[in-house]
Amino acid sequence: MDERRIVVVGLGYVGLPLAVALSKHFSVTGLDINPKRIEGLKNNNDSSGEVPVEKLKDCSVNFTTNPEIIKDNNFIIVCVPTPINEDNEPDLSFIESSSRLVGENLSPNSIVVYESTVYPGVTEDVCVPIIEKYSSLSYGKDFTVGYSPERMNPGDKERTVDKITKVVSGSDQQTLDAVEEVYGKITKTFRAKNIKVAEAAKVIENIQRDLNIALMNELAVLFDKMNINVHDVIKAASTKWNFHSYNPGLVGGHCIGVDPYYLTYKARVVGYHPEVILAGRKTNDAMHIFYAQKILSLLKKDVEKPNPRILILGLTFKPNVSDYRNSRVKHLINELTRHGAIVSAYDPFLDENIVTERFKTSFYSENSTSDNLDGVVVAVEHDSLKEKIVFLQDKCPIIRLKDL
């Protein structure tokens, strides 16, 4: 084992796989303030589905809710969410509270590395002062910081943390060397020039994807008015060697639908009003309206009812994952309901309480009857929904969001 003793703060879809991978080379403690999460991990159960039981059984991570464990370690990695608030502005409460937690327990000669997606400057301008305040330690003398943005893709079993390139950065050369050494034990690394460069690189990765999807979404709306199938157009255009193929659809989740607002917030702070980035967000955030209209229009061809009964299959933000944060399917349900549809929903990854409380719709259980359904909308194509779709297609019309 290397002499570096590591604590990973936050054991979600980012922190847990990282802790497990690092535990092959270092002494690693996994810290999370959620007792149920820690209890589950101690019983080799990852509720996020990112780490299988076998890997949890074989790993040597010490799982705990006790932040005082930080005192006995010298390399702290913070992996906490960075969402947005109702005004689409950065919500730094998790990263701020984590920085305080670290500061209250930090020992001299430690390195604190952040993985959370932020706008350029958060690590040094927001987190460092908090650590200094609560640790009474001096930045640059008693502790240093690094930044290595997470690149996890929930549900992706091919591009796991040990098979992607990790961007690394540090507040000084010695820290950068140390950060690269740690992450280099598990995967390839790229040394960013400084922390702000690494922060900016992460946030534009998702902005670029957001804008590319926004273009396809705008084309989908345009070609629909021309009675042209956008998927046929994309297939034809994809035959050109330098055409980048993206599919239209609902853009949700914790990254693509969130990260652009982090950079646009910072842009306004420095006196610049971004137009292209916000235009992409506006387009993607409105796609539930387009899809609701398409669904109702298609159903009217087969069903002459003012209040069609519609079953939505799949509610999470992407296929084959249980993460429903910022799922745009919720907005689709609201829009259908606003136009008079009677909506129920089912997702194999979500229980009844989540469906009724978070998505504000009735739960369609395994035992629910399909006789009174006027249509089924497959919003998220989970593999585990295939049999249910086959069963229902003989009962009523099936509409796949990906085909609209």
Side-chain angles (χ1 to χ4, degrees):
M1 289 289 183
D2 192 282
E3 64 178 2
R4 298 199 185 279
R5 302 180 304 280
I6 299 175
V7 175
V8 177
V9 180
L11 298 174
Y13 77 97
V14 174
L16 178 62
L18 178 64
V20 171
L22 288 172
S23 68
K24 296 178 181 179
H25 308 278
F26 304 93
S27 170
V28 177
T29 296
L31 172 64
D32 199 290
I33 62 172
N34 185 347
K36 289 185 178 180
R37 177 65 168 161
I38 294 300
E39 182 182 356
L41 293 176
K42 285 183 175 180
N43 291 319
N44 304 313
N45 176 35
D46 172 21
S47 57
S48 69
E50 292 299 313
V51 180
V53 173
E54 296 75 21
K55 283 193 174 183
L56 283 175
K57 285 182 178 180
D58 294 339
C59 80
S60 59
V61 180
N62 171 35
F63 296 113
T64 182
T65 58
N66 183 8
E68 292 186 1
I69 197 72
I70 294 173
K71 296 176 181 178
D72 300 323
N73 294 269
N74 55 26
F75 197 96
I76 321 302
I77 305 176
V78 179
C79 305
V80 296
T82 43
I84 53 175
N85 60 26
E86 294 181 355
D87 297 320
N88 291 330
E89 293 183 343
D91 176 2
L92 298 178
S93 59
F94 293 103
I95 203 167
E96 289 172 338
S97 61
S98 297
S99 297
R100 174 174 178 170
L101 190 77
V102 169
E104 290 172 338
N105 296 280
L106 194 65
S107 296
N109 303 315
S110 294
I111 296 174
V112 183
V113 179
Y114 289 87
E115 289 219 2
S116 308
T117 303
V118 294
Y119 57 79
V122 168
T123 300
E124 295 162 294
D125 301 338
V126 176
C127 299
V128 165
I130 294 174
I131 295 175
E132 283 191 307
K133 176 180 178 180
Y134 290 99
S135 68
S136 298
L137 298 176
S138 177
Y139 172 55
K141 178 183 177 182
D142 300 317
F143 75 95
T144 57
V145 297
Y147 183 77
S148 181
E150 61 92 358
R151 280 177 168 169
M152 294 298 293
N153 185 25
D156 190 338
K157 303 307 179 184
E158 299 296 324
R159 289 177 282 269
T160 50
V161 69
D162 57 330
K163 294 182 177 65
I164 59 174
T165 300
K166 284 286 286 177
V167 173
V168 294
S169 62
S171 53
D172 56 42
Q173 187 62 47
Q174 187 175 356
T175 301
L176 174 57
D177 292 341
V179 174
E180 182 180 46
E181 178 189 3
V182 169
Y183 284 101
K185 290 284 189 180
I186 60 173
T187 193
K188 296 180 293 184
T189 60
F190 176 87
R191 295 164 71 103
K193 188 173 182 179
N194 54 52
I195 289 176
K196 287 185 174 65
V197 167
E199 291 170 326
K202 166 57 182 175
V203 79
I204 72 165
E205 291 171 13
N206 289 326
I207 289 175
Q208 183 184 67
R209 184 166 177 79
D210 190 42
L211 288 171
N212 278 309
I213 298 173
L215 173 60
M216 294 300 111
N217 277 336
E218 186 166 78
L219 293 175
V221 175
L222 172 61
F223 289 143
D224 183 68
K225 294 182 179 297
M226 300 179 181
N227 293 318
I228 301 173
N229 187 295
V230 67
H231 300 286
D232 293 338
V233 176
I234 294 172
K235 187 182 296 184
S238 296
T239 59
K240 189 170 188 286
W241 61 90
N242 61 351
F243 180 84
H244 296 275
S245 182
Y246 287 82
N247 292 314
L250 297 176
V251 183
H254 45 80
C255 288
I256 298 178
V258 172
D259 296 353
Y261 289 119
Y262 270 72
L263 190 58
T264 55
Y265 169 83
K266 184 63 175 181
R268 289 192 293 269
V269 170
V270 299
Y272 180 78
H273 181 75
E275 296 185 0
V276 176
I277 300 173
L278 290 174
R281 280 284 74 231
K282 182 179 179 181
T283 297
N284 287 339
D285 279 349
M287 283 304 291
H288 64 281
I289 300 173
F290 168 75
Y291 284 123
Q293 292 171 346
K294 286 284 291 182
I295 291 165
L296 294 172
S297 177
L298 288 170
L299 286 180
K300 282 182 180 179
K301 294 179 181 178
D302 301 307
V303 182
E304 291 296 331
K305 286 184 178 180
N307 306 107
R309 296 181 177 273
I310 301 173
L311 168 62
I312 304 290
L313 293 179
L315 299 171
T316 60
F317 87 94
K318 63 180 288 189
N320 304 319
V321 300
S322 60
D323 194 343
Y324 58 88
R325 288 177 295 172
N326 301 318
S327 170
R328 300 298 296 181
V329 182
K330 176 181 179 180
H331 299 270
L332 176 65
I333 291 172
N334 291 342
E335 187 68 11
L336 289 170
T337 303
R338 192 171 72 85
H339 285 277
I342 301 171
V343 180
S344 58
Y346 172 77
D347 191 297
F349 291 95
L350 306 179
D351 60 32
E352 182 174 357
N353 288 337
I354 292 176
V355 173
T356 55
E357 293 176 10
R358 299 301 178 93
F359 290 85
K360 306 299 181 184
T361 191
S362 60
F363 180 72
Y364 184 91
S365 70
E366 293 283 358
N367 300 320
S368 298
T369 177
S370 58
D371 296 338
N372 61 350
L373 291 177
D374 298 310
V376 174
V377 176
V378 184
V380 184
E381 301 268 342
H382 296 307
D383 290 341
S384 54
L385 285 174
K386 290 179 180 178
E387 290 186 9
K388 185 176 287 292
I389 294 170
V390 170
F391 171 77
L392 289 170
Q393 66 186 8
D394 294 329
K395 309 291 183 179
C396 56
I398 301 287
I399 298 173
R400 294 184 120 98
L401 219 61
K402 69 175 186 177
D403 295 333
L404 296 181

